[in-house]
Amino acid sequence: MPTKPKSPLLPFGDQQTAPWYGKDILSVKQFSRSDLEYIIDVAHEMRIMVERIGTFDLLKGKILANLFYEPSTRTSSSFMAAMNRLGGAVIPINEVRYSSVAKGESLPDTVRTLECYADVIVLRHPEVGAAAMAAKYCRKPIINAGDGVGEHPTQALLDTFTISEELGRLDDLNITMLGDLKYGRTVHSLARMLTLFKGITLNYVSPEILRMPKDVMDEVAERGIPQTEHTTLKKVLPKTDVLYVTRVQKERFDDPVEYESVKSAYTITPQTMKAAKKRMIVMHPLPRVSEISLDFDDDSRAAYFRQMEYGLYVRMALLAMVLGKA
């Protein structure tokens, strides 16, 4: 099985000193607090550079293969925009059903083929653990853009960056996660990542059939993070610093009747938010359906579209890091 190559020297610097050069981004479990602080710092610099000059040639000559086995608008576009902003090029593969995969090609063979053309591969796949398997067979860095109901580490990173940019801190926060906590891989990853910070309290609000999985709660509990479970927002909203809303995902349900019973369990409206702090934020990984009213979008606490923009800077940071340019 191939191993990741050692870093060569390039004319502008020594990539061997870049801690993330050639590494895969597969799970939030691989990050320490110092790693997150480093990523946040790099992402903040990317934000400043984009605001000042728009695009630059940091990754000129580098190619990203965007390999998406599931439909995606935001994540796919975000990675493409990130690579373009950095001066690189993209091979977009969003219709996998029309590719050689439809002919029976395995995931290992697909990534081995793409690494012949690209310097880094971003992978979204419906099966848990697919990104880790791809990384075993690929010499180029693999970035996990979501594997089924498992993890979505780059989303958790951009969520963390959003909180940092919006509230100015990552410690001493009361965070409420609302909606589909069973199938929502974004909340699984974020809950794990938040255990790296001090003074965190996590509240889970969901219908009974969409509770946060026990394995995630057990991991969080092992780090000494207080957790509470609720079926309504009433008790926790007034003390919440971050309200993280998730969509009930129809595509994750085998039983349409079960989906219909919970699809509109919660809706955030201006009236709902009268009970919330004036200084707090509402986040959502998007797309939304009916869980946040359009009437709330103009509220200064509505951070979800700013959250999308922050994702661009984080993914620029990650691409630069794994390609040895950060």
Side-chain angles (χ1 to χ4, degrees):
M1 200 167 293
T3 57
K4 304 291 181 188
K6 291 186 177 180
S7 312
L9 295 178
L10 290 185
F12 55 82
D14 185 352
Q15 288 182 325
Q16 290 178 320
T17 64
W20 287 91
Y21 174 63
K23 292 188 177 181
D24 305 304
I25 307 280
L26 303 177
S27 168
V28 297
K29 297 177 185 179
Q30 71 191 93
F31 299 107
S32 66
R33 175 163 183 156
S34 61
D35 291 330
L36 292 185
E37 290 170 345
Y38 174 68
I39 293 167
I40 287 170
D41 285 346
V42 176
H44 187 74
E45 291 300 314
M46 293 295 180
R47 178 183 183 181
I48 292 171
M49 292 172 74
V50 168
E51 289 173 349
R52 288 180 179 173
I53 60 175
T55 62
F56 36 99
D57 290 338
L58 191 65
L59 295 183
K60 185 177 181 180
K62 299 296 184 179
I63 296 176
L64 160 68
N66 237 19
L67 178 60
F68 279 67
Y69 285 74
E70 287 186 321
S72 169
T73 300
R74 275 146 294 276
T75 304
S76 176
S77 298
S78 180
F79 270 109
M80 291 176 68
M83 196 64 174
N84 287 326
R85 290 277 187 185
L86 291 167
V90 182
I91 302 172
I93 309 171
N94 292 316
E95 297 290 345
V96 174
R97 66 183 181 274
Y98 298 130
S99 74
S100 294
V101 174
K103 304 172 186 175
E105 182 175 68
S106 67
L107 177 60
D109 280 5
T110 299
V111 296
R112 280 173 160 173
T113 299
L114 288 175
E115 73 176 358
C116 297
Y117 315 135
D119 300 287
V120 57
I121 297 172
V122 171
L123 173 67
R124 171 167 288 184
H125 198 281
E127 296 179 12
V128 175
M133 181 178 74
K136 291 180 180 179
Y137 291 92
C138 185
R139 292 172 299 166
K140 304 290 177 64
I142 296 285
I143 298 178
N144 181 5
D147 58 345
V149 297
E151 286 207 56
H152 197 346
T154 70
Q155 180 71 45
L157 290 168
L158 77 86
D159 291 341
T160 304
F161 183 62
T162 299
I163 296 169
S164 176
E165 293 288 286
E166 290 282 314
L167 297 180
R169 71 186 195 278
L170 287 165
D171 293 313
D172 302 316
L173 291 170
N174 189 299
I175 298 175
T176 298
M177 298 180 176
L178 172 73
D180 181 358
L181 308 186
K182 179 179 180 180
Y183 298 110
R185 58 192 170 200
T186 60
V187 289
H188 301 166
S189 291
L190 182 58
R192 292 180 171 112
M193 187 163 284
L194 289 169
T195 64
L196 297 173
F197 301 99
K198 298 175 183 177
I200 298 294
T201 297
L202 290 176
N203 312 303
Y204 307 130
V205 182
S206 69
E208 183 66 26
I209 64 171
L210 294 178
R211 292 172 60 191
M212 182 69 83
K214 184 178 181 300
D215 65 309
V216 177
M217 292 190 67
D218 287 347
E219 287 183 43
V220 172
E222 287 174 6
R223 303 296 296 270
I225 303 296
Q227 303 172 89
T228 63
E229 290 188 282
H230 310 267
T231 55
T232 71
L233 269 173
K234 185 176 181 180
K235 185 176 180 180
V236 297
L237 184 58
K239 55 188 176 184
T240 295
D241 298 302
V242 177
L243 176 60
Y244 196 100
V245 184
T246 65
R247 171 177 65 95
V248 177
Q249 304 173 81
K250 184 176 183 180
E251 63 270 25
R252 304 296 179 196
F253 285 79
D254 294 324
D255 183 352
V257 175
E258 191 176 65
Y259 167 73
E260 289 295 327
S261 71
V262 296
K263 69 176 184 179
S264 300
Y266 309 101
T267 301
I268 301 302
T269 67
Q271 182 65 31
T272 306
M273 294 303 295
K274 286 182 178 180
K277 295 179 180 180
K278 297 298 182 184
R279 171 74 169 150
M280 57 86 70
I281 56 172
V282 178
M283 298 171 61
H284 192 306
L286 301 181
R288 67 173 162 184
V289 182
S290 59
E291 59 276 7
I292 299 179
S293 166
L294 293 173
D295 295 340
F296 182 67
D297 289 356
D298 291 333
D299 192 297
S300 62
R301 296 170 293 181
Y304 28 92
F305 289 111
R306 298 192 296 273
Q307 183 181 348
M308 296 301 103
E309 181 180 343
Y310 294 138
L312 169 66
Y313 309 131
V314 168
R315 287 168 175 140
M316 289 173 69
L318 294 176
L319 290 171
M321 287 163 54
V322 301
L323 293 173
K325 305 300 176 87

